[in-house]
Amino acid sequence: MSESIQALRQSFRSYVKKMKSYGEALDVMYWDLRTGAPRKGVEARSEVIGELSAEMFKMSVSSEMGRFLEQLSEPGVFEQLDAVDRKLVEECKKEYDRSIKIPPDKYQAYVVLTSQAESVWEEAKEKADFAMFQPYLEKIVAANREFIELWGYAGHPYNTLLDMYEPGMTTQKLDQLFADVRAKLVPLVAAIGQSSNVPDTAFLRQTFDVTQQKAFSLYILKELGYDFEAGRLDESVHPFATGLNPGDVRITTRYLPHDVTSALFGTIHECGHALYEQNISQELIGTPLCTGTSMGIHESQSRFWENMVGRSRTFWKRYYPKLQELYPDRFEGVSVDSFYDAINVVQPSLIRIEADELTYNLHIMIRYEIEKKLFDGSLRVADLPAYWNEKYKEYLGVVPAHDGEGVLQDVHWAGGAFGYFPSYSLGNMYSAQIRSTMEKQLGDLDDLVDRGEFSAVKTWLVEKIYRHGKLLTPNEIVEGVTGEPLNPEYLLDYLGKKYGDIYNLN
Amino acid sequence: MSESIQALRQSFRSYVKKMKSYGEALDVMYWDLRTGAPRKGVEARSEVIGELSAEMFKMSVSSEMGRFLEQLSEPGVFEQLDAVDRKLVEECKKEYDRSIKIPPDKYQAYVVLTSQAESVWEEAKEKADFAMFQPYLEKIVAANREFIELWGYAGHPYNTLLDMYEPGMTTQKLDQLFADVRAKLVPLVAAIGQSSNVPDTAFLRQTFDVTQQKAFSLYILKELGYDFEAGRLDESVHPFATGLNPGDVRITTRYLPHDVTSALFGTIHECGHALYEQNISQELIGTPLCTGTSMGIHESQSRFWENMVGRSRTFWKRYYPKLQELYPDRFEGVSVDSFYDAINVVQPSLIRIEADELTYNLHIMIRYEIEKKLFDGSLRVADLPAYWNEKYKEYLGVVPAHDGEGVLQDVHWAGGAFGYFPSYSLGNMYSAQIRSTMEKQLGDLDDLVDRGEFSAVKTWLVEKIYRHGKLLTPNEIVEGVTGEPLNPEYLLDYLGKKYGDIYNLN
């Protein structure tokens, strides 16, 4: 590499690192706001966040960034770069090309709009008043449709939104994936509904001392290999994980006094996200590649640890005695098998975030159908509540009593995060497919869990997925690991076996 | 005000607000590092802090800032500004004039030097090895002497350092203040040493459950009027207060299992700092005037609440029963008067931060004498340990066994914070003088405390001091409140009466 290219590369790296510094500062402030920042300081803090976000955005579309990308993309230069620098140039260019197309005043107005919309949504949900939220949602959809025109798109307009969360994903692929899943899932859910085996879950809803719940969450985190020297566990209204850098990946959970598993599975879910981010290669630190490659792959890891490990029978053979020890008088006469059945009960319901592992995918498909229609113009915002209720009836057999438990339940749309929902189901599909390869190489997962060999599981995932951060695309990851593109059959196979067993369907 | 001046003023305000935003982001990150950030993320975090600090410094000396200050300082413009804008221009100009004189590479090198020196100091203190720290301290002193030449000074070179923490303070004033204090304090300490009344303190050093200590700290904070909607209490190795904005002023303390008062008095001390910052006028938010006017006035408030309120007899008449309730078997046979005597025991000692209210001032005077000599060149860094020990012998009658409990005990010099120490004693003087005026207007403080009328005390302090932030100078504050410049007689009078009573000296 010539000295001048070396110098150019260095300057670019410094520039990118500075941007990433703003990102970490912002992430610390968001974390802080969600884990106990005092109420009266929130307004001033929002302005601080606004100032730094604007600065970071400016840097991402500055003429300086434009020059870096132009010079580094020249074939004679680009081919001299190593893999990390190449990917870095590509990622920054993708971001630059998107952002530069949106006029700054439109972007600014959109940021203000979504920020206001989130407050309005909160109140509208509380009051179950869709009309209150409707004008905001209409503006947000309109703005996104305008952005899509500016960005351009191939195939369906919605594709360009999908690509933001799952690079390379399209409606064409998703239509097929979801059709396959739905074809097997709907009859499976119906069969479960007719099964005579209805797990008893009443014992999960007693009073459970929160201090003990916390102790148990911390204990399980240690067992799973979460590194407490590179993270911490706090409390927040909605559990989340935030990777400031691989040495500082924090998670939160929420302890409910009348629900012994909510905090625990929240913890394990976020632990999955955190194991991913704690184990990204050091060489990616200080770059935008130091994160998960997509929301789908990220969710595959949270769901792998939460559902395939944490909701497995062998996991509870191992840890149920510990839980019983913490609550000596709460599980009398409840066998580990009854406990296992109870934490895996299937029940079509209205609220996505409370849904079981199986019906969860149906909640996602409804949102996917709606988003697709909003962006090809075949569904108006005003008609959303009716369409929502109709779909819930069709897919899940339940109808919301009001919009608060219906169309208003999720915050995503208020924040403009269209295209995000499919990640959750993609995560389920990815995790089952990855698990299948893992078992070919390491042996049966249930056996590994039975023996507490989480370290072997983690090491395998670090090697195959975590260390790469965003250096590989989701498709490169899944094909690299499993030898084929995303295939929903693994998920269907896994769900069929697991729930067939619990509900005696065979 | 003309439209063009109005526009100029607005742009300046936006510019200043942006700088302040960086300041808040940095303060959140410092708070986070000191209250439990994971160890492995510290290195990456330091780089983030470095990037944002550098950016903030650049803004403070930018040509844009230079133009703002030049245009706004023009007499025809300046006279049209209101009091807040005027003060803002003056403050930014003071900062600009100082910073612009230091070549950026020298400043950068100094930041690196002090950052390294703090790590070296930590190890040197641990090992009681002054020689290890000496070369760093020599460089820091040399750099400061060079800066002083670049900044310029009036009278003693040390004056320009004093002014950074206590605007308007000089060695001429301090020599007189400290001479007055020392003349009465040294004989008072001697008389106490010969008193037959030696308070028993053994009962303070039993085991005290930390959860209860925390509950008591929280209880007292509420009693004193600390606003928990505008702050929070956390734990850190060294207690501190940080005012992110008036709606978010956080404090920390440290719970020692074998010391029931350490955490409590730490909490009350930081509460004093916090009451100040929580009550700064809203109109100063987003400006550098939204902070205490000087370290001396700030310390006057922490010390007022800690010592004059928290270590008073009436305070414990009120709260001792509550403490006894929390620890039913720890204070048997200990009367409230014995408890009061114990928490006010006077004992010349080696460590500043553990010193009692009275001898504390002698620790400060030693450091003041040393700093003065370092900057007029009459004391070499190499001779510091011997000089330190000699002074401790002379002022306090004690001699350190090693430099770890001697010259290496404080972090201040490693960080280059010369001129800071006098603030602590100035705080004591200010607080006694302000108290005297308060009592003329509100009645005896002990009576107010006896009746739990903390709200009246706080309201008075908000009106006289807190709300003004940095809009008034320390001297304007003290003269405005008390009608005279700083006068140490109030402190001496207060200490004489309080300790004369405890030790039966009259």
Side-chain angles (χ1 to χ4, degrees):
Chain A
M1 196 184 294
S2 77
E3 257 184 54
S4 68
I5 294 179
Q6 183 60 31
L8 176 65
R9 182 200 160 274
Q10 285 287 5
S11 309
F12 175 62
R13 277 297 192 106
S14 301
Y15 189 86
V16 163
K17 194 172 151 206
K18 189 166 146 188
M19 279 177 64
K20 183 78 181 173
S21 291
Y22 280 70
E24 178 162 335
L26 285 163
D27 285 343
V28 174
M29 290 192 283
Y30 283 122
W31 172 85
D32 181 69
L33 280 178
R34 296 163 78 179
T35 54
R39 190 182 64 77
K40 290 182 181 170
V42 170
E43 197 182 317
R45 175 68 63 81
S46 303
E47 300 207 19
V48 171
I49 287 175
E51 295 272 8
L52 265 73
S53 303
E55 208 55 37
M56 197 174 157
F57 181 76
K58 270 187 214 160
M59 289 180 72
S60 75
V61 296
S62 70
S63 51
E64 200 175 351
M65 177 60 101
R67 273 195 306 277
F68 277 129
L69 295 174
E70 196 184 341
Q71 293 171 353
L72 288 163
S73 302
E74 274 175 33
V77 178
F78 190 77
E79 67 201 12
Q80 291 187 51
L81 301 177
D82 69 14
V84 175
D85 284 326
R86 283 184 191 191
K87 186 73 184 182
L88 203 49
V89 169
E90 285 167 0
E91 272 301 309
C92 291
K93 191 155 166 40
K94 188 171 175 183
E95 186 69 24
Y96 177 85
D97 289 343
R98 276 187 86 97
S99 302
I100 202 85
K101 287 176 183 159
I102 309 295
D105 57 332
K106 276 197 202 296
Y107 176 75
Q108 188 56 35
Y110 181 70
V111 170
V112 173
L113 171 65
T114 51
S115 160
Q116 290 170 337
E118 287 191 32
S119 304
V120 173
W121 164 78
E122 216 171 291
E123 201 183 330
K125 178 183 174 178
E126 183 77 27
K127 297 184 176 165
D129 181 357
F130 183 74
M132 185 178 168
F133 181 53
Q134 185 181 322
Y136 290 88
L137 189 53
E138 282 168 346
K139 279 185 204 153
I140 293 171
V141 171
N144 272 283
R145 293 185 69 174
E146 194 183 344
F147 293 169
I148 291 170
E149 291 304 322
L150 292 166
W151 287 324
Y153 60 91
H156 197 289
Y158 181 49
N159 286 348
T160 199
L161 301 179
L162 287 171
D163 184 76
M164 287 174 69
Y165 304 101
E166 200 63 22
M169 190 47 64
T170 63
T171 56
Q172 207 184 358
K173 290 185 196 172
L174 272 178
D175 284 345
Q176 188 59 55
L177 289 166
F178 281 153
D180 292 348
V181 172
R182 200 154 78 85
K184 290 210 183 162
L185 228 54
V186 172
L188 181 57
V189 173
I192 288 170
Q194 281 155 17
S195 165
S196 58
N197 186 21
V198 180
D200 173 22
T201 59
F203 60 87
L204 294 176
R205 311 279 169 255
Q206 305 169 81
T207 307
F208 295 92
D209 177 68
V210 161
T211 312
Q212 302 282 55
Q213 285 197 42
K214 190 169 175 179
F216 193 56
S217 274
L218 289 169
Y219 170 74
I220 293 296
L221 282 175
K222 279 190 197 103
E223 288 286 299
L224 298 181
Y226 176 80
D227 181 354
F228 278 95
E229 292 203 325
R232 46 183 283 171
L233 175 66
D234 294 88
E235 291 175 49
S236 63
V237 178
H238 300 288
F240 69 98
T242 185
L244 303 168
N245 63 65
D248 190 349
V249 185
R250 305 176 181 197
I251 60 178
T252 70
T253 192
R254 181 175 62 151
Y255 303 101
L256 302 177
H258 295 288
D259 185 336
V260 73
T261 58
S262 170
L264 176 69
F265 288 123
T267 300
I268 301 179
H269 181 97
E270 302 310 333
C271 174
H273 285 302
L275 290 176
Y276 193 170
E277 301 253 347
Q278 282 185 336
N279 291 288
I280 295 173
S281 168
Q282 297 281 320
E283 66 169 341
L284 301 180
I285 290 180
T287 77
L289 306 179
C290 195
T291 183
T293 184
S294 72
M295 289 319 302
I297 299 289
H298 233 309
E299 283 295 322
S300 80
Q301 293 315 298
S302 53
R303 275 143 203 282
F304 171 80
W305 289 98
E306 179 192 349
N307 293 330
M308 298 194 167
V309 174
R311 288 189 203 266
S312 69
R313 198 186 294 274
T314 49
F315 184 85
W316 288 103
K317 281 209 171 127
R318 218 178 143 74
Y319 296 113
Y320 189 53
K322 174 83 181 176
L323 185 67
Q324 287 175 307
E325 206 176 281
L326 286 170
Y327 299 105
D329 52 353
R330 290 288 184 278
F331 299 107
E332 257 170 56
V334 180
S335 70
V336 63
D337 287 326
S338 303
F339 183 85
Y340 170 73
D341 285 357
I343 60 168
N344 285 295
V345 72
V346 172
Q347 179 64 57
S349 66
L350 293 165
I351 307 296
R352 174 183 61 86
I353 59 167
E354 292 166 10
D356 56 80
E357 189 181 356
L358 208 156
T359 60
Y360 192 98
N361 299 290
L362 300 171
H363 291 260
I364 296 306
M365 287 177 212
I366 293 169
R367 287 156 178 79
Y368 167 69
E369 298 291 338
I370 289 174
E371 292 191 346
K372 217 169 45 164
K373 283 177 174 293
L374 284 174
F375 290 100
D376 68 15
S378 61
L379 179 66
R380 296 182 319 146
V381 169
D383 300 328
L384 254 181
Y387 191 78
W388 178 284
N389 294 352
E390 190 185 305
K391 280 280 164 186
Y392 261 79
K393 178 107 216 268
E394 181 189 345
Y395 283 34
L396 285 149
V398 294
V399 180
H402 55 76
D403 291 336
E405 58 180 31
V407 69
L408 288 171
Q409 69 183 263
D410 297 309
V411 69
H412 300 59
W413 293 341
F418 299 102
Y420 190 110
F421 281 122
S423 314
Y424 298 117
S425 277
L426 290 170
N428 289 335
M429 299 180 215
Y430 283 132
S431 66
Q433 185 168 342
I434 290 164
R435 172 193 179 143
S436 165
T437 304
M438 180 193 286
E439 292 192 317
K440 280 177 204 140
Q441 299 182 7
L442 296 185
D444 194 65
L445 178 65
D446 287 333
D447 291 344
L448 290 161
V449 171
D450 189 45
R451 296 193 301 268
E453 292 181 11
F454 304 112
S455 167
V457 173
K458 192 181 88 175
T459 302
W460 190 89
L461 289 165
V462 170
E463 170 65 21
K464 303 288 179 187
I465 304 173
Y466 301 169
R467 68 187 174 97
H468 301 297
K470 212 171 179 169
L471 201 54
L472 302 178
T473 65
N475 203 44
E476 284 167 349
I477 291 277
V478 75
E479 289 206 35
V481 175
T482 70
E484 61 177 321
L486 183 56
N487 178 348
E489 289 307 319
Y490 295 99
L491 176 65
L492 295 168
D493 190 45
Y494 156 78
L495 292 175
K497 278 188 194 140
K498 176 169 180 175
Y499 291 95
D501 170 44
I502 295 171
Y503 285 95
N504 302 320
L505 299 183
N506 304 317
Chain B
M1 197 185 291
S2 78
E3 258 184 52
S4 69
I5 294 178
Q6 184 61 29
L8 175 65
R9 181 200 159 275
Q10 286 286 7
S11 310
F12 175 61
R13 277 296 192 107
S14 301
Y15 190 85
V16 162
K17 194 172 152 205
K18 189 167 146 188
M19 278 177 63
K20 183 78 182 173
S21 290
Y22 281 69
E24 178 162 334
L26 286 164
D27 285 342
V28 173
M29 290 192 283
Y30 283 122
W31 172 85
D32 181 68
L33 280 178
R34 296 163 77 178
T35 55
R39 190 181 65 75
K40 290 182 181 170
V42 170
E43 197 181 319
R45 175 69 61 80
S46 303
E47 300 206 21
V48 172
I49 287 175
E51 294 272 8
L52 265 74
S53 303
E55 209 54 38
M56 197 175 157
F57 181 76
K58 269 187 215 159
M59 289 180 72
S60 75
V61 295
S62 70
S63 52
E64 200 174 350
M65 176 60 102
R67 273 195 305 279
F68 278 130
L69 295 174
E70 196 185 340
Q71 292 171 354
L72 289 164
S73 302
E74 275 174 32
V77 178
F78 190 77
E79 67 200 13
Q80 291 187 52
L81 301 177
D82 69 13
V84 175
D85 284 326
R86 284 185 191 189
K87 185 72 183 183
L88 202 50
V89 170
E90 285 167 0
E91 272 301 309
C92 290
K93 192 157 165 37
K94 190 171 173 183
E95 186 69 24
Y96 178 85
D97 288 343
R98 278 186 83 97
S99 302
I100 203 85
K101 287 177 183 158
I102 309 295
D105 57 331
K106 275 198 202 297
Y107 176 75
Q108 189 56 37
Y110 181 70
V111 170
V112 173
L113 172 65
T114 51
S115 160
Q116 290 170 337
E118 288 190 33
S119 304
V120 173
W121 164 78
E122 217 172 289
E123 201 183 331
K125 178 184 174 177
E126 183 77 27
K127 296 184 177 166
D129 180 357
F130 183 76
M132 185 178 170
F133 181 53
Q134 185 180 324
Y136 291 87
L137 189 54
E138 281 168 347
K139 279 184 204 155
I140 293 171
V141 171
N144 273 282
R145 293 185 69 174
E146 194 182 345
F147 293 169
I148 291 170
E149 291 304 321
L150 292 166
W151 287 324
Y153 60 91
H156 197 288
Y158 182 49
N159 286 347
T160 199
L161 301 178
L162 286 172
D163 185 76
M164 287 174 68
Y165 304 101
E166 200 63 22
M169 190 47 64
T170 64
T171 56
Q172 207 182 358
K173 290 185 197 174
L174 272 178
D175 284 345
Q176 187 60 54
L177 290 166
F178 281 154
D180 292 349
V181 172
R182 200 157 77 85
K184 289 209 183 163
L185 227 56
V186 171
L188 181 58
V189 173
I192 288 170
Q194 281 155 17
S195 165
S196 58
N197 186 21
V198 180
D200 173 23
T201 59
F203 60 88
L204 295 176
R205 311 278 169 256
Q206 305 170 81
T207 307
F208 295 93
D209 177 69
V210 161
T211 311
Q212 303 281 57
Q213 285 196 41
K214 190 168 174 179
F216 193 56
S217 275
L218 289 168
Y219 170 73
I220 293 295
L221 281 174
K222 280 191 196 102
E223 289 286 299
L224 297 180
Y226 176 81
D227 182 354
F228 277 95
E229 292 202 324
R232 47 184 283 172
L233 175 66
D234 292 270
E235 291 175 50
S236 63
V237 179
H238 300 287
F240 69 98
T242 185
L244 302 168
N245 63 65
D248 190 349
V249 185
R250 305 175 181 198
I251 59 179
T252 69
T253 192
R254 181 174 63 151
Y255 304 100
L256 302 177
H258 294 288
D259 184 338
V260 73
T261 58
S262 170
L264 176 68
F265 289 122
T267 301
I268 302 178
H269 182 97
E270 302 309 333
C271 174
H273 285 302
L275 290 176
Y276 193 170
E277 302 253 347
Q278 282 185 334
N279 290 288
I280 295 173
S281 169
Q282 297 281 320
E283 67 170 340
L284 301 180
I285 290 180
T287 76
L289 306 179
C290 196
T291 183
T293 184
S294 72
M295 290 319 302
I297 298 289
H298 234 308
E299 283 296 322
S300 81
Q301 294 314 299
S302 52
R303 275 142 203 281
F304 171 81
W305 289 97
E306 178 192 349
N307 293 330
M308 298 195 167
V309 174
R311 289 188 203 266
S312 70
R313 197 185 294 273
T314 49
F315 184 85
W316 288 103
K317 281 207 172 128
R318 219 179 142 73
Y319 295 112
Y320 189 53
K322 175 83 182 174
L323 186 67
Q324 287 175 305
E325 207 176 280
L326 285 171
Y327 299 105
D329 53 352
R330 290 288 185 277
F331 299 107
E332 258 170 56
V334 179
S335 70
V336 64
D337 287 327
S338 303
F339 183 84
Y340 170 72
D341 286 356
I343 61 168
N344 284 294
V345 71
V346 173
Q347 179 64 57
S349 67
L350 293 166
I351 307 296
R352 174 182 63 85
I353 59 167
E354 292 166 8
D356 56 81
E357 189 181 358
L358 208 157
T359 60
Y360 193 97
N361 299 290
L362 299 171
H363 291 261
I364 295 307
M365 287 177 212
I366 294 170
R367 287 157 178 77
Y368 167 68
E369 299 291 338
I370 289 174
E371 293 191 344
K372 219 171 44 168
K373 282 178 174 295
L374 284 174
F375 291 99
D376 68 15
S378 62
L379 179 66
R380 296 181 320 146
V381 168
D383 300 329
L384 254 181
Y387 191 78
W388 178 284
N389 294 352
E390 190 185 305
K391 279 280 163 186
Y392 261 78
K393 179 110 216 265
E394 182 189 344
Y395 282 34
L396 286 150
V398 293
V399 180
H402 55 74
D403 291 336
E405 58 179 30
V407 68
L408 288 171
Q409 69 182 264
D410 297 308
V411 69
H412 300 58
W413 293 341
F418 298 102
Y420 191 110
F421 281 122
S423 315
Y424 297 116
S425 277
L426 290 170
N428 289 334
M429 297 181 216
Y430 283 131
S431 67
Q433 185 169 341
I434 290 164
R435 173 194 179 142
S436 165
T437 303
M438 180 193 283
E439 292 193 315
K440 280 178 203 141
Q441 299 182 7
L442 297 185
D444 193 64
L445 178 66
D446 288 333
D447 291 346
L448 291 161
V449 171
D450 189 45
R451 296 193 301 269
E453 293 181 11
F454 303 113
S455 167
V457 173
K458 192 182 87 174
T459 303
W460 190 89
L461 289 165
V462 170
E463 169 65 22
K464 304 288 180 187
I465 303 174
Y466 300 170
R467 68 187 174 98
H468 302 297
K470 213 170 178 168
L471 201 54
L472 303 178
T473 64
N475 203 44
E476 284 167 349
I477 292 276
V478 74
E479 289 206 35
V481 175
T482 69
E484 61 177 320
L486 182 56
N487 178 348
E489 289 306 318
Y490 295 98
L491 176 66
L492 295 168
D493 190 44
Y494 157 77
L495 292 175
K497 278 188 193 140
K498 176 170 181 176
Y499 291 95
D501 171 44
I502 294 171
Y503 285 95
N504 302 320
L505 299 184
N506 304 316

